[in-house]
Amino acid sequence: MPRDSRIAAIVGINEYPLRVVGPGTNALQIKASCAAKALEDAGFTWQDVDAVYDTGTDQGIGGLGICEYFGFKPKVIDNTSVGGTSYEFHANHAMRMIAQGKCNLALITYGSTAHSDRRAIGTAGATGQGVSNMLNNMEDPWGLTLIGNYAMVKQRHKHQYGTTDEQFAAISVATRRHAMRNPEAVKAMTDLEFVGVREISVEDVLDSRIIAYPLHLLECCMVSDGGGAVLIASPEMARNARKKPVWIIGAGEATKYRENGGDITVSAGAQSAPVAFAEAGVSPSEIDILMAYDSFSITVMCMIEDLGFCTKGEGGDFVSDGKLHFDDPRKPTINTDGGGLSSNHPGARGIFLLMEATRQLRGESTSQVDGAKLAVAVGNGGQLGSRHATGVTVLAAD
Amino acid sequence: MAPLRPQPRFPESDTESFWEATKRHELTYQTCNRCNGVIFYPRRHCTYCGSDDTGWNVSQGLGTVYTFSVIVQSRHPAFKDLGAYAVAYVDLDEGFRIMTNIVGVQDPTTDIQCGMRVKLRWEDQGEGEVSLPMFEPA
């Protein structure tokens, strides 16, 4: 049984509607726009925000720059920056600060113009410039791309467990199906000039070109523009929100590195998920909606296993029998907004996991699962094959 | 000619000894004198116990491919026209895992497997410069 205590809730969300913003809009403007609309969604005002969570990487001195830009003088500033899952870390931290009475309304923001900046995130490789340190001195010479980093994990997963490309492809297929039901995702794929904005088959995935063996194009996320805002409130404020609160009932965070003798197929989620589920008082089998960071097919495969939805190494069978689709009665359904693969990935995706989980638990998704009561958002920050963080946030409907 | 691939840059006090040794074609790694932990990547302290009492050792250069990817699309100027090339983690017999390239194969997508035995092959970067430790089938 999920625990009854209600200490913090998501009360407002806004996802920036465009994935190609073009010139004239910057990341900070995206954040401020989403913050205002999330406050509208929650029924609160600019003056109500008393805590700001942002990676603080866009301007000025960490959180100082972003707070000045917004015009907030918050009681709590948190600039945890651990890549794409920073936002699960932020939500979890906000829950704890609210529980301690340090703040009442926490704003999480994200904005990026990765597409318009023409950032080749997945294929650029290391620049070999900037500050010299242990990591870039040991890794820059080999020509590893970000996609190659994840591909190394997929390769080992295939070797260790016999997982097939067909099984990995099932993740892309389910996600695209959900994307085709989401008008913003369809517009995203259209604006980003995807070849074939339509549902895809396992064969389509396997026929798409290899970017970094063994990862195919259709196993890789898009590079879009975008952003969003999430508001987390105390129970007292949540009761006055415009919509039903979505409660944060469990939280866990962990990290993992390239280690001598380490198992690359096991993500940090194996550490953070048990903590989050124990706090929530739920088991993975009870989860209706799994919002798993789909930077690549392999990321989802590892999250499903490491969160305990199935035994380690059996993710291939688990994902390929259709249960991930929104209209299949079995649990869990994944990435109902269309995911990073087919809806939104401006470089970091963690905040969108929280937002779509919230939509599902409010009954607002374009691929709504009837009666969805429990969701989990699991992010992957950094790079799965070298160093990464995995934040897990368990959410419950009111 | 393609531009030089990214090189390690100095001064950098954690990895400079490692790269200096490559000029002598020595693949070096650290062990902890307090807890015997094998420390890699190089740094001043032991990652297992925090001790700064560590020592350098020279590897025999024999190991096993832990995993790899064959990079088909790279936009980096040094790599984009190279054709498909393999990046791997190799587990050295002494117990440390290094990121590297696998070379000396016809077709990297078919000729490399996880678990394959490999041996060190130095790729010199120029007179007086560091040498890159790569691996080929043993």
Side-chain angles (χ1 to χ4, degrees), chain A residues 186-321:
Chain A
V186 171
K187 179 169 168 51
M189 291 185 283
T190 307
D191 290 351
L192 291 166
E193 298 176 359
F194 271 39
V195 176
V197 181
R198 55 175 170 77
E199 291 193 15
I200 53 173
S201 64
V202 167
E203 292 68 34
D204 289 328
V205 178
L206 301 190
D207 287 347
S208 66
R209 72 178 190 276
I210 293 275
I211 307 294
Y213 174 80
L215 276 177
H216 302 78
L217 174 69
L218 291 179
E219 297 176 85
C220 304
C221 63
M222 61 172 68
V223 180
S224 60
D225 299 329
V230 168
L231 286 161
I232 299 176
S234 63
E236 298 70 34
M237 283 200 81
R239 288 298 167 207
N240 294 318
R242 206 163 63 80
K243 292 182 181 169
K244 280 192 174 177
V246 169
W247 299 98
I248 301 176
I249 62 168
E253 305 94 46
T255 58
K256 182 135 190 237
Y257 318 109
R258 174 216 56 84
E259 289 166 323
N260 298 331
D263 185 345
I264 201 177
T265 68
V266 179
S267 75
Q271 299 166 61
S272 49
V275 174
F277 283 127
E279 186 180 20
V282 301
S283 69
S285 62
E286 296 175 83
I287 297 293
D288 300 296
I289 306 296
L290 171 60
M291 290 302 300
Y293 196 128
D294 57 336
S295 44
F296 302 94
S297 57
I298 179 63
T299 323
V300 175
M301 189 71 80
C302 289
M303 300 292 166
I304 284 175
E305 295 173 343
D306 297 338
L307 266 62
F309 287 94
C310 65
T311 306
K312 189 72 203 177
E314 292 179 3
D317 286 338
F318 188 87
V319 303
S320 53
D321 69 355

Side-chain angles (χ1 to χ4, degrees), chain A residues 130 139 141 143 152 258 385, chain B residues 5 9 40-41 67 75 85 89:
Chain A
E139 294 184 352
M152 290 206 298
R258 174 216 56 84
Chain B
R5 61 173 67 206
R9 287 163 298 132
F40 201 80
Y41 302 144
T67 190
R75 296 194 188 281
Y85 59 95
Y89 282 131

